[in-house]
Amino acid sequence: MSAKSFDSSNAPDGVATPQAALTSQPESPECVEEKLCEEKRIRLKVDLRLCTIAGLLCSLNLLDSGIISSASVTSMLHDLGLEQGNRYSVSILIFTVASVCFQLPATLAVRIVGPRIFFACITFSFGLITLCTAFIHTWKEMVLMRVLLGIAMSGIYPGLALLISSWYRREELQLRFAFLQCGEVIVLATGGIVNWGLNHLNGHSGLKGWQWMYLVQGLFAILIGIVTFWWIVDFPECSDQSFHFLSKEEARIATARIQRDRGDVVPAPFTWKEVLRHFLDPKVYGFAVSFFLLNLVSTSLSYFLPIILQSGMGFSTNKSILLSAPPYYYAVIPVILSSLVGDRYRLRGPVIVFNSLSLIVGFIMLGFADQVTVRYIGVYLSTGAYISNWAALNSYQASNITGQWKRAVTAAAITACNGLGGVAGSFIVRQQEAPRYLTAIWISIGSHIFIIGIVAAFSIFFYIANAKQRKGRKVIEETDGFRYTY
């Protein structure tokens, strides 16, 4: 495949300058300023349409974990027979296994059928299945519902990562992933408070508290699925076809700014050879392993936090549900601040390392402090750090690859390994280890030491590759002038 033509001889690392821009006639400062203002206006329109709905859609996966984790400290485990053996962990695991199996075809489907149809259908399906879960009676029925939920949700994370990375320049990505993550955690935190309120309906209309959680939030997801068809936007090159969004001229400007950044707006014709060849790039596996290690922690906290608060810290059922919410509200602060720094200075690796160190400190407080207050503060630090790293790692991978099909492959691979991390994470919190949960503590600390090592190895590799590119000895990502961002 021929390399795309770029020239970055005078550009900083992570920024590619198109050759055409160097050979065209110079424009007046007023004209340049006018174009920049128009691009900012269009970018704001994209932020308001895409990042808002993306945050809501992304929250559905955590909405599910929020419901089942809150329900786990009610009568649900006993009612469905999930308290026996590892049935509860299996119900979490089977969701992830089903999701992982369908992630690559689901991500490719986003490109093939378009975001509007794809996200509307899977969101509506997710809501319907969640609603039906309110009326099950056995743990086997729960497992079946979890399989269907996993299939329905398989394309959400990778599909949104692909769509967002297609709309923004590389130095803008981390903040947009942070917006997405903020919407996700705010919905999750609010869902915890809603679950606390719904649990007080226990016995009303013949339904248990946990059944009200599934019923009400399933209806909410169905409503979001219907709205999604008109709210979400298409890829940049087709964005003038989205409902009341960009004009053809605005779509051309939006497409041109991405083309100047990395030259991969329009995908190559789809073939399985074109898709599968990207699995030969070792970077894909490095990014995927990083997400596996990250989700070890996020799964153990998001699914088991109420249990940790109840069994590990001695809070009542309702207090455990209610106290699960504040750490997620707090997480909005570090994810926005770290993303602003990352985009402003075009830093990816140092931000990830800082977040990983913060998480390690948080887990040390959670696992080894004696005071409940100190342990609860550790939950804040750990939650803020892993959520911040989700945005940082997504921008890290999206800034260092080019090509639409490679983005799809990478998004599917990292989300699959993210899911496999969830499988492992669902087994590291052991009830018999309450109140310290030392297995979960040590695995979480070790996983983030490993992430720091991966970032260090990538940074060395990226630095050497960029040095060779400057000397004209290497073409990175099949794109002349492209440099890695680290």
Side-chain angles (χ1 to χ4, degrees), residues 402-471:
T402 64
Q404 292 294 323
W405 297 120
K406 187 168 188 178
R407 291 186 184 281
V409 165
T410 306
I414 63 176
T415 309
C417 282
N418 188 67
L420 293 174
V423 172
S426 65
F427 286 97
I428 66 174
V429 180
R430 300 177 177 179
Q431 288 278 36
Q432 63 268 31
E433 293 184 351
R436 296 292 179 179
Y437 302 101
L438 289 181
T439 298
I441 296 297
W442 282 115
I443 289 177
S444 298
I445 291 173
S447 69
H448 279 67
I449 292 174
F450 200 175
I451 287 176
I452 292 172
I454 291 174
V455 170
F458 268 144
S459 296
I460 294 170
F461 172 76
F462 291 162
Y463 177 83
I464 294 172
N466 285 355
K468 290 181 179 179
Q469 189 277 333
R470 289 190 191 94
K471 298 175 182 177

Side-chain angles (χ1 to χ4, degrees), residues 4-78:
K4 296 180 283 289
S5 179
F6 282 73
D7 186 340
S8 62
S9 57
N10 296 312
D13 289 350
V15 177
T17 304
Q19 183 70 29
L22 299 176
T23 57
S24 61
Q25 293 295 322
E27 297 177 326
S28 67
E30 293 80 7
C31 185
V32 171
E33 183 66 24
E34 183 180 343
K35 286 188 175 181
L36 288 175
C37 289
E38 180 67 6
E39 288 187 359
K40 288 180 180 179
R41 186 186 66 81
I42 293 172
R43 188 181 65 191
L44 179 60
K45 290 182 72 172
V46 177
D47 288 341
L48 294 174
R49 277 289 291 271
L50 177 56
C51 293
T52 48
I53 187 62
L56 281 174
L57 293 178
C58 206
S59 71
L60 295 181
N61 195 26
L62 285 184
L63 180 70
D64 166 71
S65 65
I67 298 173
I68 196 171
S69 63
S70 295
S72 68
V73 293
T74 67
S75 64
M76 184 189 73
L77 298 186
H78 173 74

Side-chain angles (χ1 to χ4, degrees), residues 67-128:
I67 298 173
I68 196 171
S69 63
S70 295
S72 68
V73 293
T74 67
S75 64
M76 184 189 73
L77 298 186
H78 173 74
D79 294 342
L80 301 180
L82 287 168
E83 81 277 25
Q84 298 180 30
N86 289 325
R87 288 178 180 176
Y88 178 63
S89 292
V90 169
S91 68
I92 296 172
L93 177 152
I94 202 69
F95 170 91
T96 306
V97 172
S99 180
V100 167
C101 291
F102 284 85
Q103 271 162 1
L104 179 58
T107 309
L108 298 178
V110 179
R111 256 294 173 190
I112 295 170
V113 306
R116 294 176 66 195
I117 296 175
F118 178 83
F119 287 115
C121 288
I122 64 174
T123 304
F124 185 90
S125 300
F126 172 87
L128 184 61

Side-chain angles (χ1 to χ4, degrees), residues 82-317:
L82 287 168
E83 81 277 25
Q84 298 180 30
N86 289 325
R87 288 178 180 176
Y88 178 63
S89 292
V90 169
S91 68
I92 296 172
L93 177 152
I94 202 69
F95 170 91
T96 306
V97 172
S99 180
V100 167
C101 291
F102 284 85
Q103 271 162 1
L104 179 58
T107 309
L108 298 178
V110 179
R111 256 294 173 190
I112 295 170
V113 306
R116 294 176 66 195
I117 296 175
F118 178 83
F119 287 115
C121 288
I122 64 174
T123 304
F124 185 90
S125 300
F126 172 87
L128 184 61
I129 296 166
T130 300
L131 186 152
C132 291
T133 305
F135 302 102
I136 62 175
H137 299 93
T138 69
W139 71 273
K140 292 181 180 178
E141 292 172 344
M142 171 61 91
V143 169
L144 175 61
M145 291 295 102
R146 303 290 295 167
V147 170
L148 296 176
L149 279 173
I151 295 172
M153 292 302 295
S154 59
I156 284 285
Y157 271 159
L160 290 174
L162 173 63
L163 184 59
I164 287 177
S165 64
S166 299
W167 267 104
Y168 293 100
R169 294 170 59 89
R170 285 177 289 160
E171 67 271 17
E172 301 165 351
L173 278 172
Q174 187 167 342
L175 185 60
R176 272 68 196 184
F177 281 120
F179 289 158
L180 186 153
Q181 198 70 1
C182 286
E184 181 180 27
V185 297
I186 288 172
V187 170
L188 174 63
T190 305
I193 297 173
V194 170
N195 288 333
W196 172 79
L198 291 173
N199 195 45
H200 284 78
L201 294 177
N202 187 45
H204 284 68
S205 301
L207 298 177
K208 301 289 184 68
W210 65 268
Q211 291 177 300
W212 280 108
M213 296 179 194
Y214 278 104
L215 178 63
V216 171
Q217 294 178 75
L219 288 171
F220 170 75
I222 289 174
L223 177 62
I224 293 299
I226 295 171
V227 172
T228 295
F229 182 78
W230 288 278
W231 193 345
I232 203 163
V233 302
D234 213 317
F235 288 96
E237 70 275 16
C238 305
S239 56
D240 59 302
Q241 301 172 19
S242 300
F243 183 72
H244 285 299
F245 186 41
L246 300 184
S247 66
K248 287 187 177 182
E249 177 61 19
E250 289 173 327
R252 184 195 65 77
I253 295 171
T255 301
R257 68 189 293 271
I258 302 304
Q259 190 71 11
R260 289 198 302 271
D261 181 54
R262 55 183 182 265
D264 68 350
V265 170
V266 180
F270 173 80
T271 65
W272 280 109
K273 181 179 180 181
E274 172 64 24
V275 170
L276 296 177
R277 74 183 182 91
H278 297 301
F279 283 106
L280 299 176
D281 187 345
K283 294 197 303 297
V284 173
Y285 300 96
F287 294 135
V289 170
S290 298
F291 275 86
F292 172 88
L293 297 168
L294 178 66
N295 207 33
L296 277 173
V297 175
S298 63
T299 298
S300 62
L301 278 178
S302 62
Y303 279 103
F304 291 94
L305 183 54
I307 293 176
I308 293 171
L309 291 170
Q310 184 184 54
S311 302
M313 300 187 193
F315 293 105
S316 67
T317 295

Side-chain angles (χ1 to χ4, degrees), residues 346-407:
R346 298 192 181 98
L347 294 175
R348 300 293 181 245
V351 173
I352 295 170
V353 170
F354 175 80
N355 290 333
S356 298
L357 292 173
S358 298
L359 182 139
I360 290 170
V361 171
F363 267 93
I364 289 174
M365 295 170 66
L366 176 61
F368 303 107
D370 292 325
Q371 294 183 332
V372 170
T373 302
V374 175
R375 298 184 69 200
Y376 189 53
I377 292 173
V379 173
Y380 275 75
L381 284 178
S382 302
T383 304
Y386 90 73
I387 289 173
S388 297
N389 254 355
W390 191 90
L393 282 169
N394 263 298
S395 61
Y396 194 42
Q397 61 86 11
S399 297
N400 290 304
I401 56 175
T402 64
Q404 292 294 323
W405 297 120
K406 187 168 188 178
R407 291 186 184 281

